[in-house]
């Protein structure tokens, strides 16, 4: 069904990462965050890339004291910028009828899958036409239309700031969503009764499944985001939480139009990029990690 590789959980941790962003010109403020390094996606000396309106200087040291060259990382972000531009153009050029057909096919695969039906709690993005994302309206409707007794817990993203901070808050109805910039729907911080919504990071039970967006993917699990770093940071934090709580790691499933799946090795990766466990494309479910393979059994 595609390339099927089992990736072990990462055992390396970056102790520091200094991030400098441009906003108009350049926000001259460094923000230190701890990130997880994945051995199978360490940057190759031959890969060179960096972001268009983004200048980043990173200093990363793993537990063995081996530094990641910030110039190497800057080069990787330049290649990511170039690839994002190409994928965005391909998405904009997609025939609307084909896009709708692929949305239907992908969402049908998800809601009919054993791993979706078996999940008790999940995080899923609310698709945005402006961002040309694979639709999730049917997936969200499938969860919210279930009886209260059988309903899965559903957490959806709320962007907190421009520093890659994001929350996943629980909703029980589409009426819980409010329109933000670019007509993107996000959950309000409080419900209609004025109560704080449950944050998945404070939930008493683990999440089984993450439905993840992105710009490009390959069949070895690499994911190219939109340059904000929101999902990589959030997933890193949630994975650390599950380890601390000794919970089972959630299945990370990315949804992808056919034009978004590219050849293995083309997506430039850094130690900060979180790999996917599986892909869902119009062609079907593509398991990548050992966890995804076990869910298919």
């Amino acid at each position: 069904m595609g390339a099927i590789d089992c990736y072990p959980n990462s055992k390396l941790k970056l102790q520091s990462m200094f991030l400098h962003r441009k906003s108009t010109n350049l926000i001259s403020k460094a923000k230190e965050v701890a990130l997880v390094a994945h051995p199978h996606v360490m940057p190759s000396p031959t890969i060179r890339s960096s972001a268009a309106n983004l200048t980043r200087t990173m200093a990363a040291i793993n537990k063995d004291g081996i530094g990641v060259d910030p110039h190497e990382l800057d080069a990787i972000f330049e290649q990511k910028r170039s690839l994002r531009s190409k994928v965005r153009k391909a998405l904009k050029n997609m025939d609307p009828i084909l896009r709708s057909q692929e949305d239907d096919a992908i969402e049908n695969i998800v809601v009919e899958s054993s791993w979706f039906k078996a999940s008790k709690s999940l995080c899923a993005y609310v698709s945005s036409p402006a961002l040309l994302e694979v639709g999730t309206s049917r997936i969200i409707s499938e969860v919210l239309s279930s009886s209260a007794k059988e309903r899965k817990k559903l957490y959806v993203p709320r962007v907190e700031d421009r520093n890659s901070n994001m929350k996943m808050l629980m909703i029980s109805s589409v009426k819980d969503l409010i329109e933000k910039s670019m007509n993107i729907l996000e959950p309000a911080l409080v419900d209609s009764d004025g109560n704080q919504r449950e944050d998945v990071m404070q939930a008493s039970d683990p999440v089984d499944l993450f439905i993840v967006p992105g710009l490009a993917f390959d069949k070895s699990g690499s994911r190219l985001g939109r340059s904000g770093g929101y999902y990589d940071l959030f997933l890193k934090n949630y994975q650390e939480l599950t380890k601390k709580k000794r919970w089972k790691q959630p299945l990370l499933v990315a949804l992808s139009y056919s034009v978004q799946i590219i050849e293995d090795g083309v997506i430039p990766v850094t130690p900060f990029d979180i790999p996917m466990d599986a892909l869902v494309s119009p062609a079907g479910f593509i398991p990548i990690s050992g966890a995804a393979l076990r869910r298919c059994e």
Side-chain angles (χ1 to χ4, degrees):
M1 187 175 284
I4 300 174
D5 300 312
C6 179
Y7 290 129
N9 290 330
S10 172
K11 295 182 180 179
L12 298 180
K13 285 189 177 180
L14 295 178
Q15 297 174 333
S16 64
M17 164 179 157
F18 298 97
L19 175 62
H20 294 267
R21 288 180 175 274
K22 275 187 179 179
S23 174
T24 307
N25 290 320
L26 180 67
I27 299 175
S28 57
K29 181 180 179 182
K31 186 177 180 72
E32 185 176 358
V33 293
L35 292 170
V36 176
H38 291 266
H40 66 284
V41 294
M42 288 298 289
S44 164
T46 61
I47 296 177
R48 300 285 171 187
S49 59
S50 180
N53 59 348
L54 193 61
T55 299
R56 296 182 179 182
T57 302
M58 296 183 180
I61 305 173
N62 66 24
K63 69 175 185 178
D64 297 316
I66 301 173
V68 178
D69 185 355
H71 297 293
E72 184 77 16
L73 290 170
D74 187 64
I76 290 173
F77 282 114
E78 178 55 39
Q79 189 173 341
K80 284 188 175 188
R81 180 209 62 78
S82 177
L83 185 55
R84 285 189 185 101
S85 178
K86 293 176 182 178
V87 176
R88 285 192 178 104
K89 184 176 180 180
L91 285 170
K92 287 179 181 178
N93 290 336
M94 269 189 82
D95 180 87
I97 295 176
L98 176 61
R99 184 189 304 280
S100 178
Q101 291 173 340
E102 293 202 358
D103 278 332
D104 290 343
I106 292 168
E107 292 193 272
N108 185 61
I109 291 167
V110 172
V111 299
E112 295 299 327
S113 68
S114 58
W115 44 268
F116 177 79
K117 291 179 179 180
S119 66
K120 302 295 183 185
S121 179
L122 73 151
C123 292
Y125 69 95
V126 181
S127 56
S128 166
L131 297 179
L132 303 176
E133 295 172 323
V134 173
T136 56
S137 58
R138 184 185 169 193
I139 296 169
I140 290 172
S141 177
E142 186 79 13
V143 174
L144 299 179
S145 63
S146 302
S147 65
K149 185 178 180 179
E150 298 178 352
R151 184 179 300 165
K152 309 172 190 294
K153 279 190 173 183
L154 174 63
Y155 302 87
V156 297
R158 177 186 172 91
V159 172
E160 293 298 291
D161 53 39
R162 294 186 178 183
N163 296 319
S164 303
N165 293 307
M166 178 176 76
K167 289 183 177 180
M168 287 280 184
L169 303 179
M170 189 171 74
I171 63 169
S172 56
S173 167
V174 292
K175 294 180 180 179
D176 295 337
L177 301 172
I178 56 176
E179 195 171 280
K180 301 292 283 293
S181 62
M182 295 179 67
N183 300 319
I184 295 173
L185 295 174
E186 295 186 350
L189 286 172
V190 297
D191 62 23
S192 58
D193 297 322
N195 299 314
Q196 288 285 331
R197 295 193 184 282
E198 182 174 284
D199 187 326
V200 74
M201 296 299 289
Q202 276 79 54
S204 56
D205 297 307
V207 163
D208 306 304
L209 174 67
F210 272 82
I211 302 295
V212 184
L215 264 182
F217 311 90
D218 67 26
K219 294 179 181 179
S220 65
S222 299
R223 170 184 172 272
L224 179 70
R226 297 179 181 277
S227 83
Y230 291 94
Y231 273 88
D232 286 318
L233 181 57
F234 187 88
L235 291 173
K236 183 271 302 184
N237 288 337
Y238 193 78
Q239 288 175 341
E240 288 186 348
L241 177 66
T242 58
K243 289 177 184 177
K244 182 179 178 180
K245 297 271 191 178
R246 297 188 176 183
W247 288 340
K248 185 178 181 180
Q249 290 289 342
L251 190 71
L252 308 182
V253 179
L255 308 187
S256 175
Y257 290 121
S258 53
V259 298
Q260 292 177 281
I261 298 180
I262 61 181
E263 184 182 350
D264 287 2
V266 172
I267 296 176
V269 290
T270 74
F272 322 119
D273 297 322
I274 304 295
M276 298 294 98
D277 290 308
L279 289 178
V280 178
S281 77
F285 177 69
I286 305 171
I288 299 167
S289 71
L293 284 167
R294 288 190 292 273
R295 298 286 184 97
C296 296
E297 294 175 351

